[in-house]
Amino acid sequence: GYPNVGKSSLINSLKRSRACGVGAMPGVTRCLQAVQLDRHIRLLDCPGVVLDSGDPPAAAPLRGALAPQRLRDPLGPACAILRRCPAQQVSGD
């Protein structure tokens, strides 16, 4: 799954304990981890995966592939967000 969508949090919720580390920033889960839920069910927690879609590099932070603090220039992703919004919603008219 994509980074920061709640894979580890879901496993923790199902397990009803802190079986996996969680955090607000991408990259907390660094390797594959097997968590035994019960005798018959084993869950796998893995790092987020973002496949190359051919989108411009400014789109990577929008998919959670890059932490906002690591951006050299936040203007590119901000413009990509604004391009997706209807003009009326952005202008406030």
Side-chain angles (χ1 to χ4, degrees), residues 51 53 59 67 76 92:
L51 302 174
S53 63

Side-chain angles (χ1 to χ4, degrees), residues 58 61-62 74-86 90:
L62 303 180
L75 191 58
C79 289
I81 291 171
L82 291 174
R83 279 193 297 274
R84 294 178 182 199
C85 295
V90 176

